[in-house]
Amino acid sequence: MKLDTKLFGLLAIFFFSFQFRAALASSEQAYVTLLYGDEFLLGVRVLGKSIRETGSNKDMVVLVSDGVSDYAKKILQADGWKVEEISLLANPNQVRPTRFWGVYTKLKIFNMINYKKVVYLDADTIVVKNIEDLFKCSKFCANLKHSERLNSGVMVVEPSEELFNDMMSKVKTLHSYTGGDQGFLNSYYSDFPNAHLFEPDLPLEMSKTRPAPAMERLSTLYNADVGLYMLANKWMVDESELRVIHYTLGPLKPWDWWTSWLLKPVDVWQDVRIRLEESLPGTGGGSNPNDDFVVKVLFLLPLCILLFCCYRSFLQTRDYFGTLCRNSLCDQIRHLYVKIRAGGPLTYTVVSPSTTINSNQLFSNAALSKVPAHLGGISIFVCFMIVSVSLGFSFAIVPRQVMPWTGLILVYEWTFTLFFLLFGGFLHLTYQWGKTTAFHAGSFPSHTNSLDDDSGKGHQRQASACDFVTWYYGLGMAFLAVAAPSLPFLFGVTALFLRLGLMVVGGIVLASFMTYASAYLAFRSFLKGLEDRDTTRPKSACFLC
């Protein structure tokens, strides 16, 4: 009995000592990242989620500056990050990009002496496979890129106060080819290109027989640059063995909704984002409560504007439409009665859309002579200016970090709404211009320029509130605007440059159609104004009519 008790006690001591050593090792090693402001908050959240999904239980530390809000700190803490507030290190370089003003702060990871070893990861990286083996790396490890220069986006560091102080003493004297921390580290570790490649699977016996290296190079598996993927449309290494993906393409960050439509590797990042837990209310899936409210307003507001315009147009034209429908019905009944009394065959004229378009496209020379020579150029210029303003405004008001489909739908919704409102206003001004011209020029014979001649009766119809030709051009522009950026996805193209090329081709087709349509609709509006010199044109529910 005593033997069993002793054996049980020894096993318990062994178990707890093992757990203690594991916990101690975990607390001595950490994953670290930096956050200068809330813009990269979602990136840090997704990075932390990707680390935890690989099964790691090591500390995750985020160094935050004064630019990070208290709300962002609470979210990170709820996600499992240890938040450490730090002061920024000034960039000593006079010649540098503006965005590099605080990047030397990254050097503070070399002074995290409460940890024996840290793995630093930029906020625009994502871990796709367990990287615990990086903690076996030597005192300093990084990946070589860009003509034998180390990249500071993924590093393994053995913190040392002495090392950090030595760096601080040289920040003003060592040259930085980038004007930032990466250039400085390349100068500080000038012999890094000659370092041996890190071999995580090297047998323990062999590693003990050779001296511990001061530096080691990481393979591309630990820092797979999306820029390199873009050039070849594939990874330069076995994709199934990738450990870390680094989204390094300047402004094309994975949390910006439009990036998903350009770069295929962003899909990996978005998949992890969707799985983010709701650490705080409204933050599940990487959502932001403020952005969610803005998205709802942006989605509903154009619809409300359209409904309001249609409602007002209906109130102003209901008497006209009622009279038009009654007259049309009476005319048809009278026509049928006359044919039956006469005993002749009942003939019906089928008017195809193409016939309608062709008959309206051909203006008479007399009518065209009344159109100002510069109206076509003005309409084309105004059309493209309105497109630019509408598109720019739409991109400006849609939150950058919404889901890709949400961002795309909102931009289309607002661009179309603004375009039809603004260009419709321009056509209305053109119509008024035509009326003013006719008023000052005197009587303008209707038979020479009638756009809506009734062939059955030989008299001019009352101007239609919304005709087929206008809808044809309006819907044509909308269709091409959707089809142009969709071409790469319809053809299954994933290469960035080929995607952009197809989008450009679609854009050229759209621009050509818009050039013709804008001039044509302006001519129609002007000539309608000439015809309606002495009439009041009914309000329309269609912006382009």
Side-chain angles (χ1 to χ4, degrees), residues 509-521:
V509 174
L510 172 62
S512 301
F513 184 83
M514 289 178 62
T515 299
Y516 176 79
S518 59
Y520 177 73
L521 291 175

Side-chain angles (χ1 to χ4, degrees), residues 42-117:
L42 184 55
V44 175
R45 293 194 66 198
V46 173
L47 172 61
K49 177 66 174 176
S50 68
I51 292 173
R52 288 294 183 239
E53 286 189 344
T54 63
S56 175
N57 61 352
K58 297 188 185 300
D59 288 355
M60 298 191 308
V61 182
V62 54
L63 306 179
V64 300
S65 68
D66 297 338
V68 180
S69 66
D70 292 336
Y71 179 73
K73 297 173 187 176
K74 290 179 181 178
I75 293 179
L76 293 173
Q77 289 172 339
D79 282 346
W81 287 91
K82 291 187 175 183
V83 178
E84 293 188 9
E85 298 183 13
I86 57 172
S87 58
L88 293 175
L89 287 178
N91 191 327
N93 299 293
Q94 298 298 322
V95 181
R96 56 176 170 80
T98 305
R99 60 190 176 93
F100 281 4
W101 59 273
V103 293
Y104 268 68
T105 308
K106 187 183 292 187
L107 300 179
K108 287 198 171 185
I109 65 175
F110 290 87
N111 196 36
M112 297 179 65
I113 55 177
N114 50 331
Y115 292 100
K116 287 189 175 180
K117 189 162 289 186

Side-chain angles (χ1 to χ4, degrees), residues 295-315:
V295 166
K296 292 175 182 177
V297 172
L298 292 178
F299 179 76
L300 293 175
L301 189 56
L303 299 179
C304 293
I305 293 173
L306 293 175
L307 289 175
F308 176 74
C309 292
C310 292
Y311 175 70
R312 289 204 56 178
S313 297
F314 171 75
L315 291 180

Side-chain angles (χ1 to χ4, degrees), residues 480-493:
L480 290 176
V482 174
S486 302
L487 288 177
F489 307 98
L490 295 176
F491 291 104
V493 175

Side-chain angles (χ1 to χ4, degrees), residues 138-355:
S138 62
K139 295 182 178 181
F140 178 75
C141 299
N143 175 246
L144 277 181
K145 295 185 189 299
H146 312 304
S147 303
E148 299 299 307
R149 297 185 187 274
L150 72 87
N151 179 270
S152 61
V154 178
M155 297 185 294
V156 183
V157 173
E158 193 172 286
S160 165
E161 186 175 2
E162 181 182 355
L163 174 64
F164 176 73
N165 291 334
D166 185 57
M167 286 183 172
M168 292 298 98
S169 66
K170 297 177 179 178
V171 291
K172 294 183 179 180
T173 57
L174 287 180
H175 173 68
S176 172
Y177 78 95
T178 62
D181 62 286
Q182 183 166 289
F184 170 80
L185 289 173
N186 273 275
S187 297
Y188 191 84
Y189 293 103
S190 57
D191 197 40
F192 186 80
N194 299 320
H196 291 290
L197 184 67
F198 170 59
E199 300 177 79
D201 299 326
L202 189 69
L204 183 62
E205 296 78 11
M206 188 176 297
S207 62
K208 289 182 178 180
T209 58
R210 67 177 189 178
M215 300 177 292
E216 287 183 289
R217 290 185 292 111
L218 299 178
S219 73
T220 305
L221 295 174
Y222 295 96
N223 194 350
D225 190 342
V226 171
L228 297 178
Y229 177 94
M230 178 194 70
L231 295 175
N233 195 33
K234 64 179 181 180
W235 296 109
M236 303 298 185
V237 292
D238 185 1
E239 187 172 353
S240 63
E241 294 297 323
L242 282 180
R243 306 298 181 90
V244 179
I245 298 177
H246 194 179
Y247 299 91
T248 55
L249 284 178
L252 296 179
K253 295 305 180 184
W255 46 80
D256 293 330
W257 65 264
W258 58 80
T259 309
S260 292
W261 302 106
L262 298 175
L263 300 175
K264 186 176 182 296
V266 176
D267 295 344
V268 179
W269 191 93
Q270 289 289 347
D271 289 341
V272 178
R273 173 196 178 160
I274 294 173
R275 297 194 294 270
L276 280 172
E277 289 86 3
E278 192 173 17
S279 304
L280 293 180
T283 60
S287 298
N288 183 319
N290 294 330
D291 285 352
D292 289 346
F293 175 76
V294 172
V295 166
K296 292 175 182 177
V297 172
L298 292 178
F299 179 76
L300 293 175
L301 189 56
L303 299 179
C304 293
I305 293 173
L306 293 175
L307 289 175
F308 176 74
C309 292
C310 292
Y311 175 70
R312 289 204 56 178
S313 297
F314 171 75
L315 291 180
Q316 295 169 349
T317 59
R318 57 183 175 181
D319 294 336
Y320 162 72
F321 279 120
T323 303
L324 179 64
C325 293
R326 288 193 299 271
N327 290 342
S328 299
L329 181 60
C330 292
D331 289 343
Q332 294 296 329
I333 294 175
R334 188 181 302 109
H335 173 73
L336 180 62
Y337 174 75
V338 170
K339 286 292 184 181
I340 293 175
R341 286 286 302 270
L346 296 177
T347 58
Y348 298 93
T349 303
V350 179
V351 181
S352 66
S354 59
T355 304

